[in-house]
């Protein structure tokens, strides 16, 4: 049975903690002074910790973090936009990486040459549509027995035969054909001879001996932590040139992936290729151009045959007959053959921006960017793969981002998806845009639209390609850049106005050519201020 409560019982007698804190009995004056001093010191330390925690909470509230998601279909310009951010806000790192893009640029060039040889081959069958090069299915043409005949085809083919082996070497260097996924990169000091013989790969190969490339599609991050460090591995993939010559397999033209997490750039870094000096008696630097197995020597030897191929007027006519606009493709360097094939070629900023290496998974970059309205702001930009099979990776990022930059390549109105040749690329962009703006998870997210590749649009319209032939809804409007671009502006704007989950959201639309550094820098600066202002409002700091 419980003892009855005593109404006026002192708290110190009923509370064990209070009793423990009472001064000891028979405490001497000196002991009391020491105890009080220790209590004051403990309180001072405790107050200091409390103040530090309060300050940290305040700083976290005041500190701005901006997270941006780059979205759009494959080859819409997302990776190039990210490169432009790097060039503006991390130029030292961007410039340090330039030499690493040398092999990618070489492969872009070699594959452009192979596209042409495939297209002009007298035995070539009807070419498949490529993402950046070919017209829609309705405009396919067979090269057999029709069109301009290339009298010097065999001469061109024999002169450029060494490029076949070089393409295979570069492919091996940038892919992992003997794995289910592209999981590794070459060593920091690659032995080019081993890639030339192919002894380093014993996996599957195509019918013509070419290693079977592998497309890596990383899994999406867990929904519970969409932006956690456990996000999927990052990869890149080299684009397919489209089409194949007689007897080749389809896997020849599959896209080749490499993992960003395996630091592929180290394999081609300047530090691995430059040693100084050649001898104690000279200041001449020994570089990759002194390595006889480096790819540059094959390219340099084939420079004149490549130039002859690209300048051949009958070939230009045959390409026009095939509706093949090689100059519109990503990674186009045929107008720079002499410079690219020079022994001491060093990629420029523009070369890196033009180089094509398709994103697989998610690429993340963080920058500290000054703001006119506050101190430095940490920006994290996510470049997410845009191929249909990779779009499942988009949604987990929606809940964390402050803004989305959506890129629509409006020059692609006469092209189809590589993954689904029945789908027009522009129609795919319309559907992607509709699903994005109507998503309720993005109601409070700023959305900026880049109508990209206007330089290619101008060129295509000027060459006589008519929009209404591929988009009947355009009707009989004039087929000039001003009217076509206005149509696209209004079309995307109307989709946003009709389907937006947030009717009060202000849409910003920019016409862009993201390989144009000067124009893009101005647009990025304006976009930055728009996003910062919106973020400040969301933090209730304005």
């Amino acid at each position: 049975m419980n003892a009855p409560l005593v109404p006026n019982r002192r708290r110190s007698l009923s509370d064990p903690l209070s009793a423990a804190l009472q001064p000891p009995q028979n405490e001497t004056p000196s002991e009391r002074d020491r105890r009080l001093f220790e209590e004051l010191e403990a309180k001072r330390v405790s107050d200091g910790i409390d103040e530090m925690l309060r300050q940290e909470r305040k700083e976290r509230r005041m500190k701005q973090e901006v997270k941006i998601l780059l979205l759009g279909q494959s080859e819409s310009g997302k990776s190039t936009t990210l490169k432009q951010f790097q060039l503006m806000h991390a130029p030292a790192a961007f410039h340090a990486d330039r030499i690493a893009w040398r092999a990618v640029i070489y492969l872009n060039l070699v594959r452009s040459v192979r596209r042409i040889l495939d297209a002009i081959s007298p035995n070539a069958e009807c070419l498949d549509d490529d993402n950046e090069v070919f017209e829609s299915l309705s405009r396919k043409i067979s090269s057999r027995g029709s069109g301009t005949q290339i009298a010097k085809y065999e001469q061109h083919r024999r002169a450029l035969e060494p490029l076949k082996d070089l393409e295979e070497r570069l492919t091996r260097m940038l892919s992992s054909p003997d794995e289910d996924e592209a999981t590794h990169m070459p060593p920091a000091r690659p032995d080019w001879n081993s890639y030339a013989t192919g002894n380093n790969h014993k996996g599957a190969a195509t019918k013509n001996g070419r290693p079977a490339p592998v497309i890596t599609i990383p899994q999406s991050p867990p929904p519970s932590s969409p932006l956690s460090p456990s996000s999927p591995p990052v990869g890149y993939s080299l684009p397919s040139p489209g089409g194949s010559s007689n007897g080749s397999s389809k896997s020849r033209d599959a896209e080749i992936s490499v993992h960003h997490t395996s630091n592929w750039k180290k394999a081609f870094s300047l530090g691995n290729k430059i040693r100084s000096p050649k001898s104690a008696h000279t200041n001449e630097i020994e570089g990759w151009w002194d390595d006889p197995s480096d790819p540059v020597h094959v390219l340099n030897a084939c420079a004149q045959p490549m130039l002859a191929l690209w300048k051949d007027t009958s070939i230009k006519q045959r390409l026009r007959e095939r509706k093949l606009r090689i100059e519109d493709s990503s990674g186009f360097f045929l107008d720079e053959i002499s410079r690219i094939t020079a022994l001491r070629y060093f990629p420029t900023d523009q070369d890196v921006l033009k180089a094509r290496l398709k994103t697989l998974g998610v690429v993340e970059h963080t920058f500290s960017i000054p703001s006119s309205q506050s101190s430095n702001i940490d920006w994290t930009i996510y470049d997410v793969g845009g191929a249909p099979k990779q779009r499942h990776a988009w949604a987990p990022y929606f809940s964390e981002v402050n803004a989305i930059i959506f890129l629509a390549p409006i020059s692609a109105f006469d092209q189809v998806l590589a993954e689904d040749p029945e789908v027009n690329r522009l129609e795919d962009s319309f559907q992607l845009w509709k699903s994005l703006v109507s998503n309720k998870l993005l109601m409070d997210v700023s959305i900026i639209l880049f109508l990209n590749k206007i330089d290619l649009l101008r060129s295509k319209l000027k060459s006589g390609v008519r929009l209404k032939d591929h988009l009947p809804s355009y009707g009989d409007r004039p087929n000039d850049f001003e009217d076509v671009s206005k149509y696209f502006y209004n079309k995307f704007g109307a989709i946003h106005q009709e389907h937006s989950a947030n009717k009060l959201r202000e849409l910003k639309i920019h016409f862009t050519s993201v390989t144009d550094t000067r124009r893009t820098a101005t647009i990025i600066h304006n976009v930055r201020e728009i996003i910062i202002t919106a973020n400040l409002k969301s933090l209730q700091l304005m």
Side-chain angles (χ1 to χ4, degrees):
M1 186 173 180
N2 295 332
L5 295 177
V6 180
N8 295 323
R9 190 179 182 185
R10 289 171 55 191
R11 185 171 182 269
S12 61
L13 296 178
S14 61
D15 186 353
L17 181 58
S18 297
L21 294 175
Q22 292 298 312
Q25 294 182 355
N26 303 320
E27 182 182 42
T28 65
S30 60
E31 290 173 341
R32 179 178 179 276
D33 292 340
R34 184 168 60 253
R35 177 175 59 77
L36 293 176
F37 175 79
E38 291 174 352
E39 290 176 356
L40 287 173
E41 182 64 16
K43 186 176 185 305
R44 184 186 67 80
V45 172
S46 178
D47 290 345
I49 293 173
D50 290 342
E51 179 60 28
M52 182 176 64
L53 292 174
R54 281 194 295 270
Q55 188 64 29
E56 286 181 356
R57 285 194 294 269
K58 181 179 179 181
E59 289 177 358
R60 279 198 301 268
R61 184 173 179 271
M62 294 296 292
K63 181 181 179 180
Q64 287 197 72
E65 293 180 342
V66 174
K67 295 178 180 178
I68 299 176
L69 196 57
L70 301 177
L71 296 181
Q73 64 185 209
S74 182
E75 297 191 58
S76 59
K78 301 184 298 297
S79 296
T80 305
T81 302
L82 178 56
K83 291 177 192 175
Q84 291 283 17
F85 270 96
Q86 291 176 280
L87 185 57
M88 287 182 65
H89 302 296
F94 182 91
H95 292 147
D97 283 344
R98 281 189 305 180
I99 190 61
W101 287 88
R102 187 169 62 98
V104 176
I105 293 167
Y106 287 164
L107 188 51
N108 286 167
L109 176 60
V110 170
R111 289 194 160 183
S112 293
V113 171
R114 200 242 294 170
R115 291 178 183 181
I116 296 175
L117 289 174
D118 284 348
I120 66 174
S121 169
N123 297 320
E125 295 182 2
C126 184
L127 295 177
D128 293 330
D129 288 62
D130 179 69
N131 235 23
E132 279 295 325
V133 180
F134 297 100
E135 299 281 340
S136 63
L137 287 174
S138 62
R139 301 180 73 89
K140 287 181 177 179
I141 307 174
S142 173
S143 64
R144 180 176 292 167
S146 63
T148 302
Q149 300 301 306
I150 309 302
K152 296 183 178 180
Y153 169 75
E154 279 299 320
Q155 178 181 335
H156 288 305
R157 187 190 63 77
R158 286 194 299 269
L160 296 168
E161 186 69 20
L163 295 184
K164 178 181 177 182
D165 291 334
L166 177 58
E167 182 182 358
E168 293 180 359
R169 292 170 63 195
L170 292 170
T171 296
R172 292 188 180 102
M173 180 65 87
L174 293 171
S175 67
S176 185
D178 55 350
E179 302 285 348
D180 290 335
E181 296 184 357
T183 57
H184 70 268
M185 282 302 299
R189 297 174 184 270
D191 178 3
W192 283 105
N193 289 319
S194 69
Y195 291 99
T197 60
N199 292 333
N200 58 314
H201 289 298
K202 299 180 181 180
T206 64
K207 295 179 181 179
N208 63 359
R210 191 178 306 280
V214 177
I215 295 179
T216 300
I217 305 173
Q219 296 300 311
S220 60
S224 58
S225 181
L227 297 180
S228 67
S230 61
S231 293
V234 178
Y236 293 97
S237 169
L238 285 158
S240 158
S244 59
S245 59
N246 189 34
S248 64
S249 70
K250 288 184 179 180
S251 58
R252 176 189 186 194
D253 295 313
E255 295 191 323
I256 301 162
S257 63
V258 298
H259 268 239
H260 184 74
T261 50
S262 47
N263 206 356
W264 64 273
K265 295 177 182 178
K266 283 187 177 180
F268 309 101
S269 66
L270 193 61
N272 296 322
K273 294 294 183 181
I274 294 276
R275 297 174 297 280
S276 176
K278 282 186 178 181
S279 72
H281 308 289
T282 178
N283 288 326
E284 186 179 0
I285 294 176
E286 181 180 5
W288 65 82
W289 49 86
D290 293 305
D291 179 359
S293 62
D294 192 277
V296 70
H297 297 288
V298 176
L299 283 168
N300 185 261
C302 290
Q304 289 306 313
M306 281 192 282
L307 284 168
L309 179 79
W310 183 232
K311 292 181 178 180
D312 190 317
T313 55
S314 64
I315 291 176
K316 293 288 184 68
Q317 177 60 30
R318 186 68 184 123
L319 295 178
R320 284 192 292 268
E321 292 168 358
R322 297 300 302 261
K323 310 299 180 184
L324 176 57
R325 294 179 54 84
I326 200 83
E327 62 274 18
D328 288 352
S329 61
S330 299
F332 174 74
F333 291 100
L334 286 173
D335 287 339
E336 306 285 343
I337 291 174
S338 297
R339 181 175 63 86
I340 300 295
T341 59
L343 291 177
R344 302 195 182 197
Y345 163 68
F346 197 103
T348 64
D349 291 351
Q350 192 63 26
D351 292 341
V352 174
L353 291 171
K354 288 171 58 180
R356 170 64 181 164
L357 196 60
K358 184 180 178 180
T359 304
L360 294 180
V362 182
V363 179
E364 173 183 339
H365 280 277
T366 300
F367 314 94
S368 183
I369 302 179
S371 168
S372 60
Q373 300 176 352
S374 62
S375 58
N376 285 3
I377 299 174
D378 289 337
W379 287 60
T380 301
I381 302 178
Y382 303 94
D383 174 14
V384 187
K389 290 184 179 180
Q390 298 184 70
R391 294 171 188 173
H392 68 275
W394 294 7
Y397 290 80
F398 288 172
S399 62
E400 294 288 335
V401 296
N402 305 92
I404 289 175
I405 297 177
F406 183 88
L407 291 98
I410 55 177
S411 66
F413 64 83
D414 60 339
Q415 298 163 5
V416 295
L417 293 180
E419 301 84 358
D420 187 350
E422 298 295 331
V423 178
N424 179 281
R425 288 191 62 192
L426 188 61
E427 293 289 355
D428 181 62
S429 282
F430 287 149
Q431 291 301 317
L432 276 177
W433 176 244
K434 177 181 175 181
S435 64
L436 186 73
V437 300
S438 62
N439 194 304
K440 293 182 179 180
L441 292 175
L442 302 174
M443 286 184 60
D444 299 320
V445 174
S446 298
I447 297 181
I448 297 99
L449 175 62
F450 282 10
L451 299 179
N452 195 32
K453 301 194 177 184
I454 59 171
D455 53 332
L456 299 182
L457 178 64
R458 288 181 187 272
S459 174
K460 189 169 288 187
L461 295 174
K462 190 175 180 180
S463 72
V465 181
R466 301 190 63 82
L467 176 59
K468 73 173 184 178
D469 293 338
H470 307 276
L471 196 69
S473 61
Y474 185 68
D476 293 326
R477 296 178 180 88
N479 199 61
D480 56 63
F481 175 78
E482 289 72 20
D483 287 277
V484 169
S485 60
K486 181 180 178 181
Y487 172 81
F488 288 141
Y489 185 101
N490 293 335
K491 177 73 172 180
F492 279 94
I495 292 174
H496 179 268
Q497 184 175 5
E498 181 179 355
H499 299 284
S500 178
N502 181 358
K503 300 300 182 181
L504 298 179
R505 176 169 52 201
E506 184 179 3
L507 174 64
K508 298 293 185 180
I509 303 178
H510 298 272
F511 289 104
T512 60
S513 173
V514 292
T515 55
D516 183 339
T517 299
R518 180 176 298 180
R519 178 180 175 87
T520 304
T522 302
I523 293 173
I524 287 177
H525 177 78
N526 294 336
V527 168
R528 270 175 38 198
E529 295 304 313
I530 292 169
I531 294 173
I532 290 172
T533 301
N535 196 41
L536 283 169
K537 289 180 178 178
S538 68
L539 292 174
Q540 296 182 346
L541 296 178
M542 292 185 64

